[in-house]
Amino acid sequence: MKLPKLVASSSCIIIIWVLMIGVAVESSHIVYPEYQTLEAANVKQVYRTGYHFQPPKHWINDPNGPMYYKGIYHLFYQYNPKGAVWGNIVWAHSVSKDLINWDALESAIYPSKPFDENGCWSGSATILPGDKPVILYTGLDPHNRQVQNIAYPANHSDPYLREWVKPDYNPIVQPSPGMNTSLFRDPTTAWWTEGHWKIIVGGRRKKHRGVAWMYRSKDFKTWIKARHPLHSAPHTGMWECPDFYPVGENGLRSGLDTSRMGPDVKHVLKVSLDETRFEYYTIGTYDLDKDRYTPDNTSVDGWAGLRYDYGNFYASKTFYDSKHHRRTLWGWSNESSVPNEDIQKGWAGIQAIPRSVWLDRNGKQLLQWPIKEVEKLRKDEVNVSKLGLNKGAQVEIGGITPAQADVEVTFSFESLDKAEPFDPSWAGIDAQTVCRLKPSTVPGGLGPFGLLTLASEDLEEYTPVFFRIFKAQDNKHVVLMCADASSSSLDPLPYKPSFAGFVDVDLHNKKLSLRTLIDHSVVESFGEGGKTVITTRVYPTKAMHEDAHLFVFNNGTEQITIRRLKAWSMRRPLRMNNNMHY
């Protein structure tokens, strides 16, 4: 994603306070102390989402400690209760029975003890035997060292877990001698093997080597650092917000408890890379005897690796949903507007729609799909089928609210012969660069074709989500999926990237599918059943509310057929933290 330095800010980022001409600098990101306690007097609704998770106002970032406990879903998240920029971070707390309607509770964790007096940053939840939840989180001590702390519910019988207690024996994990104490954070959910609880903590060593430090405990109170990390990789930089969990093989869609091991199980290691502001994951094998994780030869560590999302999606966290036996993924989608605009509108940040995640049958990548519950918000269904699109076609889809919609479409084509050559010089560049070189306005052979979302009637503004198919030198085909924000707004200030990813798909049946969730300032798209996912944030000045339009289009010489399209308007949840107190 590489957000501009004036936009990006996260609790997963090391804070280095350097006073330069009165401006505090946070690592490579600029902090705005003069705005951190600037209360939002008026909250502007223009760009606020209709069905995504967000509080009524102010700044949010990382999702923390999601869990399902005694019939209640819990989501904690990094929140500034005093302003619309990063700062004054607490663990805000919301609860739900369906992951759609949310009620806010009092903040669960906030700076109050020496071991977290300078900050309460990201972490995870673990449910111990006896149905006892605990939270592990990063605190900043009086010396601004990053240390790992534990918190317990004051009352385990309370399904809402309204109050949390931080024991005085914190911190439970401290940086070892020689460690960079400002690069040691974000403890994971614990797993149980070989008579020990185990966690990893993100870090960096030797300048650019990312590392997942491992710790073991028999009682969840005394933790011992392992002799070697679970995994590390050179040239990847700081590993933030790590996540480590099992997935079933052979296309099993059911999720697995974090402590599940066995011959039919692979493991996923996800890290958020501060240097790129993207998330990357590998699929591999967890060796219980050596306590080491090894990625498969189809998975690459670092910048060339697989991503959950090729767009604006960061600091994610999964949990095992025992109610529906699934692995559920939460992720933060930051604003792409500049801070002054965030301050004017009184809020910043949303959580992406929760996703189910599982291992593809081919074993090479994960698949993601919006949780089933979001479909309860659908209304006003529109159907289109067997619609041919010649080159230059733009057909409007009416009958829904295009600014707040859910769209599923399957495209088909008769032949692959018109796929344009994949330039050999592109072999060393990423999909995002190819998308910039080949946007939706550049005609092709087989594509570009897809959706024009959040479009103005005159198409001065639109956010295209589309496929383009190339033919490589080995006669194999390369499928590019783009979500291009460059034409999304006439406002020159927001960051408007051309996000993109390649889709690993067999085209023998000559069709591609796309699902797109549209919600005023966010467009989340799932290509080919969730093989490639892209989230983008946009801020149209004309294509807003009732003035937004939705089109299907084709700009390639090969005719594209809308084999099946279903679209729905989306209702607002009945409750979205409306009861939040500040």
Side-chain angles (χ1 to χ4, degrees), residues 561-572:
T561 298
I562 304 297
R563 191 165 179 171
R564 179 184 65 87
L565 182 148
K566 290 187 176 182
W568 300 264
S569 299
M570 296 294 278
R571 300 182 182 90
R572 292 178 177 270

Side-chain angles (χ1 to χ4, degrees), residues 26-96:
E26 178 186 283
S27 184
S28 60
H29 306 273
I30 296 178
V31 177
Y32 302 89
E34 68 273 28
Y35 299 141
Q36 288 180 335
T37 56
L38 186 61
E39 182 84 13
N42 296 299
V43 177
K44 294 185 178 180
Q45 299 301 311
V46 59
Y47 306 133
R48 278 187 70 82
T49 61
Y51 58 96
H52 281 69
F53 181 98
Q54 61 184 139
K57 62 180 180 179
H58 294 157
W59 167 277
I60 72 168
N61 53 292
D62 311 3
N64 293 156
M67 64 174 146
Y68 181 73
Y69 180 71
K70 293 186 181 299
I72 303 294
Y73 289 103
H74 295 258
L75 179 64
F76 307 88
Y77 57 96
Q78 301 276 282
Y79 176 63
N80 180 359
K82 298 180 179 180
V85 299
W86 187 93
N88 314 300
I89 294 297
V90 302
W91 276 47
H93 184 194
S94 293
V95 293
S96 173

Side-chain angles (χ1 to χ4, degrees), residues 405-437:
D406 184 359
V407 186
E408 292 190 24
V409 57
T410 299
F411 302 97
S412 65
F413 35 88
E414 291 295 323
S415 172
L416 292 163
D417 293 343
K418 293 182 181 179
E420 57 197 294
F422 189 80
D423 190 328
S425 67
W426 297 344
I429 63 178
D430 60 21
Q432 186 167 332
T433 302
V434 178
C435 183
R436 285 199 299 268
L437 295 172

Side-chain angles (χ1 to χ4, degrees), residues 211-478:
V211 59
W213 301 111
M214 176 179 276
Y215 293 82
R216 303 187 184 100
S217 175
K218 291 184 177 181
D219 59 5
F220 226 87
K221 178 178 178 182
T222 302
W223 293 83
I224 306 297
K225 182 174 175 287
R227 290 192 299 174
H228 52 75
L230 177 72
H231 187 56
S232 67
H235 314 301
T236 53
M238 173 63 192
W239 286 5
E240 303 187 295
C241 303
D243 202 5
F244 186 64
Y245 58 90
V247 286
E249 293 189 290
N250 303 314
L252 180 69
R253 294 191 63 155
S254 298
L256 301 177
D257 180 83
T258 307
S259 296
R260 171 72 180 273
M261 306 290 161
D264 58 344
V265 171
K266 303 292 287 187
H267 273 77
V268 175
L269 176 61
K270 185 278 302 186
V271 295
S272 305
L273 296 191
D274 185 30
E275 292 188 8
T276 68
R277 308 303 296 157
F278 284 121
E279 300 203 300
Y280 302 81
Y281 73 87
T282 56
I283 297 165
T285 300
Y286 176 34
D287 187 325
L288 292 176
D289 294 329
K290 297 180 180 179
D291 252 345
R292 283 188 183 272
Y293 167 79
T294 304
D296 292 344
N297 58 13
T298 56
S299 287
V300 179
D301 282 305
W303 299 11
L306 296 165
R307 302 182 199 171
Y308 282 154
D309 193 302
Y310 290 82
N312 191 334
F313 185 90
Y314 197 73
S316 68
K317 181 63 188 172
T318 67
F319 74 104
Y320 175 62
D321 179 352
S322 59
K323 178 180 180 180
H324 293 290
H325 307 289
R326 65 189 175 191
R327 174 68 51 172
T328 301
L329 169 68
W330 281 98
W332 166 51
S333 187
N334 193 13
E335 302 303 311
S336 292
S337 50
V338 297
N340 283 340
E341 291 179 317
D342 296 339
I343 293 160
Q344 289 171 13
K345 68 180 190 281
W347 59 274
I350 64 171
Q351 305 297 348
I353 292 295
R355 306 168 184 174
S356 295
V357 59
W358 68 97
L359 183 63
D360 192 355
R361 186 173 294 277
N362 66 20
K364 296 179 180 179
Q365 69 171 96
L366 297 174
L367 299 178
Q368 301 168 67
W369 201 246
I371 57 169
K372 188 74 173 175
E373 289 88 333
V374 76
E375 297 174 14
K376 296 177 182 178
L377 300 175
R378 290 171 169 174
K379 65 175 184 176
D380 305 329
E381 181 177 319
V382 169
N383 288 273
V384 177
S385 62
K386 298 180 181 180
L387 173 65
L389 300 175
N390 293 319
K391 182 181 178 181
Q394 296 170 345
V395 178
E396 183 165 8
I397 304 301
I400 60 167
T401 54
Q404 193 169 309
D406 184 359
V407 186
E408 292 190 24
V409 57
T410 299
F411 302 97
S412 65
F413 35 88
E414 291 295 323
S415 172
L416 292 163
D417 293 343
K418 293 182 181 179
E420 57 197 294
F422 189 80
D423 190 328
S425 67
W426 297 344
I429 63 178
D430 60 21
Q432 186 167 332
T433 302
V434 178
C435 183
R436 285 199 299 268
L437 295 172
K438 293 280 189 175
S440 63
T441 53
V442 174
L446 191 42
F449 58 85
L451 302 174
L452 302 179
T453 71
L454 295 173
S456 60
E457 186 174 13
D458 57 9
L459 291 181
E460 279 196 288
E461 293 181 333
Y462 60 95
T463 301
V465 183
F466 62 93
F467 297 108
R468 188 190 288 265
I469 301 174
F470 298 93
K471 192 172 189 177
Q473 288 181 318
D474 55 6
N475 287 324
K476 293 183 179 179
H477 290 87
V478 177

